[in-house]
Amino acid sequence: MNNIALFLFAHQDDEFAVFEEIYTSIQAGKQVYCVYITRGVKAGFSSKIRNQESLRVLSKLGVNNNNIIYVGDILSVNDGELFNSLSSVYKWIYDFLTKHSKNIYIYIPAWEGGHPDHDCLSVISIKAIEKFGALKYTFQFPLYNRQDCIGPFFRFLHPLTSNGSIHKKIIPLLRRIRFLSYLAEYKSQRKTWLGLLPATLIHYVSKKTQILQAVNAVNEIHRPHNGILYYEYRKFNNWDSLQKNLMEFLDKNK
């Protein structure tokens, strides 16, 4: 029986994409771990406020505070800089897995070209999980991407079909309302959430779903979709640089 649920997040507040999965995992009696891989802030800034915001939200979902781990603080990985710490984070994830039983479900950000930290975490976690032998118990969750979009627009909680089979779970109305209220806790990210809130409302009203996808092994690095990726449009990073770093990582961890 799978009795552990491990959620790997690049940043504090990424958990909003899997509120339902976190909640139902706890209700099913699983021991839930939520791990933040970056500090969620740039170098020179404190991660304390963002940590506290996610802590409050996860506590409302029922997560044990002792099971919330800020790896970004432990390994000094700043927001937007995970591509510089691929090997150390890969080792941390693999070490964590080996210290726990194989009775585990794992949830990771989807490979979708939204944020470079999301994509980097997707690749290194898949390699660690593959080595551990738990890919069949691993699922990816979409956050945002620019597939078939123009200008500044992007798709929200939209799974790329190229990533594999899609699993949708209806979220009951009262929980959707409760989950929306949790977004008020992310006060330090209010500018971001002013932009994301309408998309969240639309998704909760029209789709009403928690979306997950299966995960496959990764041996090559290909663009998530055609056109300009979201992080390229926002100039967070560029494809050539990210692909080079990830391919070098894969070459070292065949």
Side-chain angles (χ1 to χ4, degrees), residues 7-12 14 34-48 50-51 68-86 88-90 92-93 96 117 121 124:
F7 293 83
L8 298 175
F9 302 119
H11 314 107
Q12 303 88 330
D14 286 349
C34 291
V35 178
Y36 295 95
I37 297 299
T38 80
R39 298 176 59 247
V41 292
K42 300 296 184 183
F45 291 87
S46 171
S47 60
K48 182 178 180 180
R50 295 206 69 184
N51 289 347
I68 303 171
I69 307 171
Y70 305 102
V71 172
D73 288 328
I74 296 170
L75 299 180
S76 298
V77 183
N78 297 316
D79 178 24
E81 297 181 14
L82 181 52
F83 68 93
N84 286 325
S85 302
L86 301 176
S88 59
V89 173
Y90 165 79
W92 190 95
I93 295 171
F96 179 93
D117 288 340
L121 178 54
I124 59 180

Side-chain angles (χ1 to χ4, degrees), residues 89-156:
V89 173
Y90 165 79
K91 182 179 184 304
W92 190 95
I93 295 171
Y94 181 73
D95 288 347
F96 179 93
L97 292 172
T98 58
K99 290 175 183 175
H100 295 78
S101 106
K102 287 194 176 182
N103 296 325
I104 186 168
Y105 278 118
I106 309 167
Y107 303 86
I108 65 175
W111 171 258
E112 59 182 348
H115 193 291
D117 288 340
H118 299 167
D119 283 2
C120 286
L121 178 54
S122 176
V123 172
I124 59 180
S125 57
I126 287 174
K127 292 305 292 186
I129 295 163
E130 181 184 14
K131 182 178 179 181
F132 177 68
L135 273 185
K136 66 179 179 179
Y137 296 122
T138 303
F139 300 89
Q140 56 187 323
F141 54 89
L143 288 155
Y144 50 84
N145 61 71
R146 269 190 97 253
Q147 185 185 42
D148 300 326
C149 292
I150 60 173
F153 298 104
F154 59 91
R155 292 180 179 274
F156 184 71

Side-chain angles (χ1 to χ4, degrees), residues 211-236:
I211 300 173
L212 297 172
Q213 288 178 278
V215 170
N216 297 310
V218 56
N219 298 303
E220 296 288 338
I221 301 298
H222 302 289
R223 290 182 74 89
H225 61 77
N226 294 327
I228 299 174
L229 305 178
Y230 186 75
Y231 64 74
E232 291 178 311
Y233 182 84
R234 293 291 304 275
K235 295 181 170 43
F236 293 157

